[in-house]
């Protein structure tokens, strides 16, 4: 890994700002909402952080132009400080600035980078550690968490929690799509009624005590350490809500290869919440079916947009056909909640993608970020000390805009 202990000018990086400016010389890591770089701490910063010189850390800078698909209610740094020592392996915040942050680096390999558990039977070690993570998350007391947004569903209001997720998806994921994307969804048979039908099912969710939820515990965010220990990273999408949604999101995003894999993870979650969140299992079977349907609908709206935006500008028939195959798989998985009698074939999907390519030039791009002077993640304090609170749920997204930091241009792509 390159040594970034010195800035481009040759000076020792004795401040977090200088380390950030030199981060582009480090090892780039994957990330959708952030540019992430693995760098080594120079002596001065290592001493300040009480770590050995040369310790790897992660420099994390938001990508303002990233299309926003997920509800965020807390600044990640505030949450990580709240759960420090409560959830094993959660990153330590070493620096938190408007344009970047520096976190401790989780040593190890992502499950996604070593075959994970997708293609083999999860062993007892993995399921036991997964259970431990679920148990620790559910046991975090609500009073140590950062303040919740005004109007957030009351503890136990599971129906209100699902309606919040649906409202955000409807207004901020689907609703902010371009006209070209709206026409593409219509051509694929994705009508406006699917999310509405799911919202009506929220009344059947019952009541369960809320808990801290990571909501994105997939193979890329689960790190296997040198000793086999399991750590969970990237907490920016954490929420406070129905514990059943945690296992639904995990099952939906892990893509376990077999039913036995899924059942093992479900058993681990059940054992975890039974031990640390009494009452969280009440009515969970029916709730799980509803949340899994939500995850399938969310996947449709996110994946169709992502896959089409990823099409090269001059994509030809072969590239459109490959994209169509992936879109068809997403539609097939969500056939039930979408109410589709028949999933469109790849030829029809490819043709719809070709129309989208022709139309996309004529509509504004779907970039949701806006340049600003500071981070406006929901709940963060403004310079004058007042919290950034937006009362109307449909405007929550405007409160999670991530501004372009003053030094973003110094990072390489």
């Amino acid at each position: 890994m390159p040594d970034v202990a010195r800035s481009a000018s040759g000076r020792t990086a004795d401040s977090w700002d200088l380390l950030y400016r030199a981060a582009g010389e480090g090892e780039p890591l994957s990330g959708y909402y952030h540019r992430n770089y693995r760098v080594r701490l120079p002596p001065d910063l290592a001493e300040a952080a009480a770590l050995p010189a040369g310790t790897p850390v992660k420099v994390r800078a938001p990508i303002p132009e990233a299309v926003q698909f997920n509800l965020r209610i807390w600044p990640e740094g505030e949450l990580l400080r709240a759960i420090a020592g409560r959830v094993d392996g959660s990153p330590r915040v070493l620096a938190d600035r408007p344009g970047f942050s520096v976190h401790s680096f989780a040593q190890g390999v992502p499950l996604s980078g070593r075959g994970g558990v997708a293609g083999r039977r999860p062993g007892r070690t993995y399921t036991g550690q997964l259970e431990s993570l679920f148990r620790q998350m559910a046991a975090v007391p609500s009073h140590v968490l950062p303040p919740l947004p005004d109007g957030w569903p009351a503890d136990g209001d599971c129906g209100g929690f699902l309606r919040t997720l649906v409202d955000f998806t409807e207004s901020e994921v689907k609703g902010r799509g371009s006209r070209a994307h709206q026409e593409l969804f219509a051509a694929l048979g994705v009508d406006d009624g699917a999310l509405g039908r799911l919202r009506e099912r929220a009344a059947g969710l019952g009541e369960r005590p809320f808990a801290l939820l990571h909501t994105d515990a997939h193979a890329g965010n689960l790190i296997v350490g040198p000793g086999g220990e399991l750590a969970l990273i990237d907490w920016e999408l954490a929420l406070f809500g129905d514990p059943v949604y945690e296992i639904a999101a995990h099952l939906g995003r892990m893509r376990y290869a077999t039913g036995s894999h899924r059942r093992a993870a479900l058993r681990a979650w059940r054992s975890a919440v039974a031990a640390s969140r009494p009452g969280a299992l009440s009515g969970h079977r029916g709730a799980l079916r509803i949340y899994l349907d939500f995850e399938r609908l969310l996947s449709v709206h996110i994946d169709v947009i992502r896959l089409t935006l990823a099409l090269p500008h001059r994509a030809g028939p072969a590239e459109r056909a490959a994209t169509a195959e992936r879109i068809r798989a997403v539609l097939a998985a969500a056939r039930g909640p979408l109410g589709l009698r028949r999933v469109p074939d790849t030829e029809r999907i490819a043709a719809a993608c070709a129309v989208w390519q022709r139309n996309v030039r004529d509509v504004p791009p779907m970039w949701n970020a806006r340049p600003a002077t500071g981070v406006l993640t929901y709940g963060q304090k403004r310079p004058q000390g007042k919290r950034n609170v937006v009362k109307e749920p449909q405007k929550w997204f405007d409160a999670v805009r991530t501004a372009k930091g003053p030094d973003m241009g110094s990072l390489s792509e």
Side-chain angles (χ1 to χ4, degrees):
M1 181 178 67
D3 183 0
V4 295
R6 293 185 177 275
S7 67
S9 65
R11 293 181 299 166
T12 299
D14 57 358
S15 75
W16 296 114
D17 290 318
L18 285 175
L19 186 73
Y20 163 66
R21 293 178 185 181
E25 302 167 31
E27 176 187 350
L29 306 170
S30 63
Y32 182 76
Y33 290 125
H34 288 81
R35 293 187 180 95
N36 298 300
Y37 294 88
R38 181 175 182 255
V39 303
R40 294 189 186 277
L41 278 182
D44 289 349
L45 292 180
E47 182 179 358
L51 293 169
T55 297
V57 296
K58 181 192 288 187
V59 177
R60 199 160 155 78
I63 302 174
E65 65 272 20
V67 180
Q68 303 292 322
F69 291 117
N70 300 97
L71 174 62
R72 285 174 284 174
I73 63 172
W74 293 312
E76 187 179 22
E78 284 190 25
L79 177 66
L80 288 175
R81 284 188 285 270
I83 66 174
R86 297 179 182 274
V87 181
D88 290 344
S90 58
R92 174 187 168 194
V93 181
L94 304 177
D96 202 358
R97 301 288 188 271
F100 71 96
S101 59
V102 183
H103 296 174
S104 60
F105 187 81
Q107 297 286 359
V109 181
L111 279 174
S112 58
R114 48 181 278 165
V117 295
R120 56 185 172 84
R121 182 177 178 81
R124 291 183 179 179
T125 299
Y126 166 76
T127 52
Q129 292 179 338
L130 186 65
E131 177 183 336
S132 179
L133 286 174
F134 283 144
R135 183 175 64 252
Q136 291 170 359
M137 277 192 287
V140 174
S142 59
H143 67 83
V144 307
L145 297 173
L148 290 166
D150 276 3
W152 191 255
D155 191 353
D157 181 9
C158 298
F161 176 71
L162 175 60
R163 286 190 291 272
T164 297
L165 298 178
V166 171
D167 287 346
F168 181 85
T169 304
E170 202 164 48
S171 65
E172 305 300 340
V173 179
K174 185 174 184 294
R176 283 186 183 267
S178 66
R179 187 183 309 110
H181 271 120
Q182 292 168 2
E183 292 174 357
L184 174 62
F185 280 120
L188 298 176
V190 179
D191 60 28
D192 295 331
L195 287 169
R197 291 190 294 272
L198 189 67
R199 185 187 290 106
E200 293 172 359
R201 295 169 65 188
L205 282 175
E207 296 185 1
R208 280 171 295 280
F210 280 9
L212 171 66
L213 315 176
H214 182 280
T215 80
D216 203 25
H218 58 70
N221 286 336
L222 287 165
I223 309 298
V224 181
E229 64 277 10
L230 198 64
L232 187 54
I233 63 171
D234 288 4
W235 287 79
E236 63 187 328
L237 307 183
L239 300 174
F240 184 69
D242 187 348
V244 181
Y245 182 55
E246 182 66 53
I247 185 60
H250 176 72
L251 294 176
R253 301 177 194 195
M254 273 296 292
R255 303 186 187 281
Y256 288 110
T258 68
S260 64
H261 295 183
R262 293 168 61 86
R263 288 190 292 272
L266 180 56
R267 284 194 299 270
W269 173 83
R270 283 175 181 158
S271 178
V273 297
S276 58
R277 213 68 173 179
L281 292 180
S282 174
H284 75 278
R285 290 181 176 84
L288 179 58
R289 289 191 290 271
I290 294 174
Y291 282 119
L292 285 173
D293 280 350
F294 169 74
E295 279 292 296
R296 294 180 182 110
L297 290 179
L298 180 63
S299 179
V300 167
H301 290 93
I302 290 177
D303 290 347
V304 168
I305 293 172
R306 279 183 174 172
L307 288 168
T308 50
L309 287 177
L311 272 174
H313 180 63
R314 297 184 181 277
E319 290 165 309
R320 284 196 296 269
T323 296
E325 287 283 359
R326 298 179 67 182
I327 290 176
R328 190 177 193 282
V330 173
L331 293 175
R335 179 178 176 180
L338 282 173
L340 289 178
R341 292 184 177 180
R342 179 182 300 176
V343 178
D345 57 32
T346 53
E347 289 79 9
R348 176 179 166 187
I349 297 172
C353 289
V355 173
W356 176 83
Q357 281 185 288
R358 290 195 297 271
N359 292 343
V360 73
R361 287 186 177 185
D362 303 327
V363 296
M366 189 193 162
W367 302 134
N368 289 332
R370 298 174 182 170
T373 57
V375 175
L376 295 181
T377 303
Y378 203 123
Q380 187 166 4
K381 289 183 179 179
R382 294 181 181 275
Q384 65 269 34
K386 183 177 179 181
R387 285 192 172 270
N388 175 34
V389 175
V390 179
K391 294 183 179 180
E392 300 86 346
Q394 68 271 21
K395 294 183 180 179
W396 282 352
F397 181 80
D398 292 324
V400 299
R401 308 262 182 207
T402 303
K404 184 172 184 178
D407 298 318
M408 285 291 288
S410 66
L411 287 179
S412 60
E413 292 290 334

